[in-house]
Amino acid sequence: MSLSVVATIDGMRRTLAPLRREGKVIGLVPTMGALHAGHGRLMELARRETDCVVVSVFVNPTQFNDQQDYAKYPRTLPRDVEFCQALGAELVFAPDAAEMYPQPATSFVEVAGVSERLCGEFRPGHFRGVATVVAKLFHIVQPDRAYFGEKDAQQLAVIRRMVRDLDIPVTVVGVPTVREPDGLALSSRNQRLSPEERSLAPAVYRTLQRIRSRIADGAGDPREIRQDAVAELERVPGMRVEYLEIVDPEEMRPVGRIEGPVLAAAAVWLGSTRLIDNQLCAPANASPSGRLPPEKALRRPTK
Ligand code: AMP
């Protein structure tokens, strides 16, 4: 099947209905476009695990709490379509804002708790926008499997919680972060870094790696680790730490003492660009997988 680009919800439903009737397994990769190898990894996995890969490309206005950030977000649809074609996707869903929000929305998906910490604290309304648009995409595409990057670990936790709470029949798959050779996590926002900023940006990854080895070596006090890490990052010219926290990987709640797997998560500003990254860490005697907990581990215990 060659690639089709569909801009309407009705068009998506009409295209997907016969495939679903044939029993095809549908995979969804939700994106905001400006596609790079990080998105590519999600698509490759979807390609392997499903019969029909749908990539949505939609810069969702309701998840931006800064209108300037929304306005300057890169939009590269023709290139994105070529990228999806090269990776063997079947469908690109590229609606405009009027298609997704014909009138200002009055219904929202709010995932309390996990949405309120880390990025949620600094970007009010962000995760409500994310959860709502992903719920809409799930209703439009009705995928069997949906792929999300671990780079946005809190987003992944929010989506997993939403799917569980609302019994949405989709398997959420987390995909490890794809990085540049120097460790910088690939992000559409990296394009905005000046050459000088780009050369400084891997400091975030290096600091997270140092946290990881300290924790593996037995450091148990998150406050001490946090203080040293923030000081290290603030020494980088032009870098300002928005948050750096050591949290539990499901609820994103800061931990008092490190006794099992934790997530070190950071958001930093480099000039006018905001970068986020995270690293799963564990004491040497705890889970060695280096991955976020799979969906199975998050399911409710049976009574
Ligand atoms: P975005 O277009 O930035 O909203 O990202 C769309 C999806 O791609 C999200 O699930 C992201 O977590 C994922 N993603 C973005 N960057 C990376 C990366 N470097 N590695 C893996 N997944 C990524």
Side-chain angles (χ1 to χ4, degrees):
M1 189 174 151
S2 65
L3 181 96
S4 311
V5 182
V6 178
T8 65
I9 295 167
D10 193 46
M12 282 304 283
R13 294 208 162 114
R14 275 189 287 114
T15 311
L16 286 165
L19 299 174
R20 202 170 291 111
R21 273 199 301 274
E22 284 168 30
K24 296 254 192 283
V25 177
I26 295 167
L28 172 65
V29 179
T31 81
M32 297 208 297
L35 301 181
H36 52 64
H39 302 109
R41 185 69 59 82
L42 271 60
M43 289 185 219
E44 278 161 14
L45 194 58
R47 171 80 285 148
R48 281 209 294 276
E49 296 183 346
T50 70
D51 305 314
C52 172
V53 177
V54 180
V55 180
S56 61
V57 175
F58 179 57
V59 184
N60 175 37
T62 68
Q63 71 189 69
F64 285 82
N65 50 329
D66 172 352
Q67 280 318 296
Q68 260 198 7
D69 189 26
Y70 174 63
K72 51 179 198 183
Y73 200 86
R75 288 161 172 86
T76 59
L77 186 61
R79 246 199 53 217
D80 293 344
V81 169
E82 277 174 30
F83 188 86
C84 293
Q85 174 112 52
L87 283 168
E90 271 79 18
L91 264 175
V92 172
F93 177 44
D96 62 13
E99 177 68 12
M100 290 295 273
Y101 304 105
Q103 42 193 354
T106 50
S107 308
F108 303 96
V109 179
E110 189 104 48
V111 184
V114 61
S115 288
E116 288 154 27
R117 301 177 262 272
L118 307 181
C119 290
E121 210 178 312
F122 294 91
R123 303 184 69 189
H126 169 67
F127 286 118
R128 183 174 89 159
V130 169
T132 304
V133 80
V134 171
K136 281 163 74 71
L137 291 168
F138 284 172
H139 285 122
I140 295 165
V141 176
Q142 296 177 41
D144 299 283
R145 302 173 74 77
Y147 296 81
F148 294 87
E150 289 181 354
K151 186 190 85 99
D152 299 281
Q154 190 176 13
Q155 169 173 286
L156 178 57
V158 167
I159 302 298
R160 282 190 161 140
R161 191 61 203 249
M162 172 183 84
V163 162
R164 226 174 357 140
D165 284 351
L166 301 181
D167 302 306
I168 303 177
V170 62
T171 300
V172 174
V173 182
V175 182
T177 303
V178 178
R179 299 177 179 281
E180 300 281 4
D182 61 11
L184 177 65
L186 297 192
S187 162
S188 311
R189 289 196 163 87
N190 294 352
Q191 301 177 15
R192 293 192 201 153
L193 298 170
S194 69
E196 154 114 55
E197 288 167 344
R198 172 63 190 82
S199 70
L200 298 169
V204 182
Y205 173 69
R206 283 198 302 270
T207 297
L208 291 171
Q209 285 298 96
R210 246 187 302 275
I211 294 177
R212 188 173 185 213
S213 29
R214 278 185 75 173
I215 292 176
D217 290 346
D221 179 2
R223 268 168 319 175
E224 206 179 289
I225 296 173
R226 194 182 160 275
Q227 257 174 18
D228 294 349
V230 170
E232 197 173 297
L233 288 173
E234 300 265 355
R235 277 198 295 275
V236 177
M239 196 172 275
R240 183 174 68 76
V241 177
E242 185 176 271
Y243 68 75
L244 188 150
E245 299 289 348
I246 295 174
V247 298
D248 79 88
E250 283 180 37
E251 292 292 326
M252 305 283 143
R253 211 181 282 118
V255 298
R257 185 93 207 138
I258 301 164
E259 282 157 348
V262 289
L263 191 76
V268 307
W269 287 90
L270 195 47
S272 58
T273 307
R274 184 175 181 275
L275 303 174
I276 60 169
D277 201 350
N278 66 78
Q279 185 72 60
L280 195 71
C281 311
N285 56 358
S287 153
S289 77
R291 296 282 312 276
L292 290 173
E295 194 183 27
K296 206 159 22 83
L298 297 173
R299 283 199 204 289
R300 264 184 219 107
T302 40
K303 297 221 172 81

